Amino acid sequence: MRMNLQYVHLPQEFTWLLQSNMQSTGNGFSHLKKTIWSTSNFQSLASRTFSDLEGHLSFEKVITSLGWLGFRDRLAGAYLYHQKYGVFPEEPCLNLVSDILDFEDSLKGQTIDGYNRAFLLGFYLKMNLLGQKRNNHSLKVSMISSDVSKLLELVSTKTTYIDWLYISLANACEVHGLERVRKLLEAGGGFASLRRGMTNDQDYQFIRSFLAYGASIGHLEVFYNPTI
């Protein structure tokens, strides 16, 4: 089943955090505390997202109570709820995040601590799925690819950019099939080998999915930095 990646309007401040180092000494954590937290839009969302916490909602209180991951999950739940129903929830809404957490957990063997790009990809895929289903309730769209999970077992090193790797493998499997992609990886093939043998239309769809994801999360570096 195709993943059918499209451009999705995502909250850029949130997706920026999910691409940053969110350890307590990381640049993303510092930016969240000094800049994002104090904005009026974020405070309006925070008043709903953290409504069950008693007392004044200072940054320190929220982070001490929830930690970064709890903070992240509540924000994601609020944005997903809005994507599904058109309004923000009046209270924390974590039920929409459970499958994203399962997805993130399935990729933890290939990801680097402190970064949330597996969660970011899951968040994008869920927002993409909800947006498409809102316009077409009968649409059958897969949020994840079971073939990619099998291929990632061949990856012995961890990467910051697990999201781009995942999308590359998912697209390659749709074109070549699982077994051929497995053989390419076992032979040490890279990105170029995954695109080799595609028709012009297949190659167009391959690149189009990259453009859709990159534009959605506000990450353009992948298109001009060959190391990613």
Side-chain angles (χ1 to χ4, degrees):
M1 187 178 294
R2 293 183 60 85
M3 296 177 71
N4 195 21
L5 306 188
Q6 299 182 6
Y7 171 76
V8 184
H9 181 68
L10 299 178
Q12 291 300 300
E13 290 181 338
F14 185 53
T15 58
W16 185 89
L17 292 174
L18 296 180
Q19 296 175 70
S20 304
N21 182 348
M22 291 307 296
Q23 294 177 330
S24 59
T25 57
N27 62 325
F29 192 88
S30 176
H31 184 68
L32 168 61
K33 179 179 180 179
K34 294 179 179 179
T35 306
I36 296 177
W37 175 263
S38 60
T39 63
S40 58
N41 288 342
F42 196 86
Q43 281 297 305
S44 176
L45 179 59
S47 66
R48 301 175 182 227
T49 307
F50 311 120
S51 60
D52 58 324
L53 301 182
E54 298 180 356
H56 176 65
L57 293 178
S58 67
F59 177 82
E60 288 74 15
K61 175 181 175 59
V62 172
I63 290 297
T64 299
S65 299
L66 302 175
W68 157 245
L69 295 182
F71 183 96
R72 175 200 72 177
D73 295 349
R74 286 183 179 224
L75 287 179
Y79 290 124
L80 289 164
Y81 188 96
H82 187 276
Q83 180 77 334
K84 186 173 184 177
Y85 299 107
V87 296
F88 284 108
E90 294 294 334
E91 56 188 24
C93 182
L94 292 172
N95 60 307
L96 290 173
V97 186
S98 58
D99 52 352
I100 299 177
L101 295 176
D102 290 340
F103 177 71
E104 180 184 40
D105 187 63
S106 72
L107 299 179
K108 65 182 180 181
Q110 288 78 36
T111 55
I112 296 175
D113 293 341
Y115 291 87
N116 299 259
R117 297 197 77 106
F119 187 92
L120 170 62
L121 176 57
F123 177 69
Y124 161 79
L125 292 173
K126 184 71 173 284
M127 291 284 280
N128 180 54
L129 177 64
L130 291 175
Q132 292 185 56
K133 283 194 171 183
R134 189 177 59 218
N135 298 323
N136 184 352
H137 297 291
S138 63
L139 187 67
K140 299 297 183 181
V141 180
S142 176
M143 190 179 116
I144 62 174
S145 168
S146 58
D147 285 349
V148 175
S149 299
K150 298 174 183 176
L151 292 172
L152 286 173
E153 296 175 359
L154 304 175
V155 179
S156 58
T157 58
K158 295 187 176 184
T159 175
T160 301
Y161 299 101
I162 186 65
D163 47 348
W164 292 106
L165 174 60
Y166 191 98
I167 291 173
S168 297
L169 294 176
N171 277 283
C173 283
E174 288 179 0
V175 174
H176 301 307
L178 172 62
E179 290 308 315
R180 183 179 176 190
V181 177
R182 183 194 300 275
K183 291 178 180 178
L184 290 173
L185 293 179
E186 290 175 339
F191 183 76
S193 70
L194 297 180
R195 294 178 62 189
R196 193 173 299 122
M198 291 185 179
T199 66
N200 288 338
D201 182 64
Q202 290 170 336
D203 192 58
Y204 168 78
Q205 293 299 329
F206 191 94
I207 298 303
R208 185 179 181 277
S209 67
F210 268 57
L211 291 170
Y213 180 64
S216 298
I217 67 171
H219 183 190
L220 304 180
E221 185 182 3
V222 70
F223 302 112
Y224 58 80
N225 185 348
T227 64
I228 294 179

